[in-house]
Amino acid sequence: MPAEPLFTPIALVAIDDSRNIRRRYEIHVSLDLFGVYVVDTRWGRIGGHTQKKRHSFADENGARRHVAATLSRRSSATRRIGTAYRRVAVSPLG
C-alpha cells in the first residue's frame, strides 16, 4: 500500500451519542521557510474548546513517524474510550 501524501490534512471524529462522546482530532503537516517540517495537531470536544500542539522535525521521516504514531494512538480509541475514530472532511486549521 503506498504511503499517504504527507501534506494531506487528516481529520478524525469519534462520536457516540448514547455515551455523550463527541471528539475531533486534526493533523496538518507543512514546511516552514527554513525547510523544517511542522506537524500541527488540534483536538477536543466537537463544538467546544480545542487544544493545540506543534512539533517540528528536521526531516520528512521524523514527521512521518510522528504522524504514524499519532494515528496509531487514535486507532486504539475503541479500547480506551469505547468508540472508534473515523475520517471526515477536513476543515481549515484556525
Side-chain angles (χ1 to χ4, degrees):
M1 174 187 292
E4 183 171 339
L6 186 61
F7 297 106
T8 301
I10 300 169
L12 307 167
V13 295
I15 299 174
D16 184 349
D17 288 330
S18 67
R19 297 179 59 230
N20 198 25
I21 296 172
R22 300 187 58 78
R23 298 181 182 187
R24 183 171 181 89
Y25 205 92
E26 295 182 17
I27 305 170
H28 297 258
V29 180
S30 59
L31 273 175
D32 72 4
L33 294 174
F34 302 103
V36 174
Y37 289 83
V38 178
V39 180
D40 288 307
T41 55
R42 273 178 79 169
W43 67 94
R45 184 165 174 83
I46 295 173
H49 179 73
T50 60
Q51 297 182 54
K52 303 179 215 181
K53 190 172 265 194
R54 176 174 282 177
H55 291 19
S56 299
F57 299 91
D59 63 357
E60 181 179 343
N61 287 334
R64 282 191 185 279
R65 281 192 304 272
H66 179 72
V67 170
T70 302
L71 291 175
S72 176
R73 176 74 175 162
R74 295 306 109 209
S75 71
S76 69
T78 304
R79 184 179 74 248
R80 292 180 298 106
I81 65 173
T83 190
Y85 277 91
R86 62 181 172 79
R87 285 188 183 226
V88 296
V90 178
S91 64
L93 184 66

